[in-house]
């Protein structure tokens, strides 16, 4: 069963706007990761946030983690057409065990 | 570094055929894994390995075998292909670092498999 669930499933915005995607999970985690996947391409790791962190920034990306609500959000600021992709969250538990991905959010940034 | 490489990129099989998907990494990562991605399903873990000689099952291991004879290579074998195994397969690797958290994963470009 999948632990991570992204919301919304699809998001369409204009270039320059901010995009926010959410991820919810069910059990305890050690870390949560966000990935991007362009159509027909492999996954690209974006950012990892550990369970003892609440917020993390990387360039135009801002990730928050609320372990009490078992949820995370990914904010992309000043979006660009090149940000069009599917975004996945993945939860990691103990080393060597399942890393579970959600179904993803399809982001379309219109020029 | 080449990172994580996968071959082939595309493959078409007939039901009942067997084949091996190759995965290699040159980053000296201990942890390697195989996922399959189906439309609307996200990624599901098939098998993983925490080091040479050690493998374990993931979420959907049936119909697949793996081995890890070296740190660099982690092949995935389909024993008797079925149409339900039509999917995109991704190999990934990571270096565990300190502690017990699973750290950043690096993914290969994927293999698109069609079973007729």
């Amino acid at each position: 069963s999948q632990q991570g669930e992204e919301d919304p499933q699809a998001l369409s915005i204009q270039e320059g706007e901010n995009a926010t995607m959410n991820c919810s999970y069910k059990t305890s985690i050690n870390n949560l990761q966000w990935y991007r996947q362009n159509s027909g391409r492999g996954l690209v790791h974006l950012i990892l946030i550990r369970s003892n962190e609440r917020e993390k920034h990387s360039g135009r990306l801002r990730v928050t983690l609320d372990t009490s609500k078992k949820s995370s959000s990914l904010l992309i600021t000043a979006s660009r057409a090149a940000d069009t992709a599917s975004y996945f969250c993945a939860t990691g538990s103990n080393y060597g065990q399942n890393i579970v991905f959600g179904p993803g959010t399809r982001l379309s940034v219109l020029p | 570094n080449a990172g994580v490489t996968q071959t082939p990129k595309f493959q078409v099989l007939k039901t009942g055929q067997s084949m091996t998907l190759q995965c290699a990494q040159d980053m000296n990562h201990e942890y390697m894994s195989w996922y399959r991605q189906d439309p609307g399903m996200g990624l599901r873990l098939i098998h993983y390995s925490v080091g040479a000689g050690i493998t374990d099952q993931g979420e959907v291991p049936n119909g697949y075998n793996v081995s890890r004879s070296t740190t660099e290579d982690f092949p995935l074998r389909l024993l008797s292909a079925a149409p339900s195994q039509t999917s995109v397969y991704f190999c990934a690797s990571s270096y565990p670092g300190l502690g017990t958290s699973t750290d950043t994963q690096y993914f290969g470009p994927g293999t698109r498999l069609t079973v007729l």
Side-chain angles (χ1 to χ4, degrees), chain B residues 27-77:
Chain B
M27 297 174 283
N28 201 31
H29 285 170
E30 294 181 13
Y31 182 94
M32 295 186 73
S33 54
W34 277 100
Y35 294 87
R36 58 178 289 173
Q37 184 180 31
D38 302 303
M41 292 288 292
L43 282 160
R44 290 185 291 172
L45 183 66
I46 305 172
H47 284 284
Y48 65 95
S49 167
V50 300
I54 306 170
T55 64
D56 205 348
Q57 297 181 344
E59 184 184 0
V60 287
N62 293 340
Y64 307 94
N65 271 358
V66 292
S67 60
R68 185 91 181 273
S69 57
T70 67
T71 300
E72 293 78 19
D73 300 297
F74 191 43
L76 177 72
R77 281 183 287 277

Side-chain angles (χ1 to χ4, degrees), chain A residues 13-98:
Chain A
I13 59 174
Q14 296 293 133
E15 206 165 23
E17 294 180 339
N18 295 342
T20 300
M21 290 159 272
N22 302 298
C23 170
S24 60
Y25 57 92
K26 297 177 181 176
T27 62
S28 296
I29 62 172
N30 282 346
N31 66 79
L32 187 143
Q33 305 177 47
W34 284 92
Y35 291 81
R36 182 185 72 228
Q37 184 181 35
N38 291 87
S39 180
R41 305 290 295 273
L43 285 162
V44 174
H45 177 261
L46 295 176
I47 195 165
L48 179 151
I49 186 166
R50 301 195 185 279
S51 59
N52 61 354
E53 297 176 308
R54 292 297 168 259
E55 187 171 314
K56 202 164 182 177
H57 297 257
S58 177
R60 293 185 295 112
L61 304 178
R62 173 176 168 259
V63 170
T64 63
L65 179 64
D66 188 335
T67 54
S68 66
K69 296 181 179 178
K70 292 186 169 58
S71 67
S72 173
S73 67
L74 172 68
L75 169 67
I76 303 174
T77 60
S79 63
R80 306 166 183 169
D83 295 331
T84 294
S86 289
Y87 291 82
F88 295 89
C89 70
T91 57
S93 58
N94 293 330
Y95 169 66
Q97 295 185 9
N98 286 352

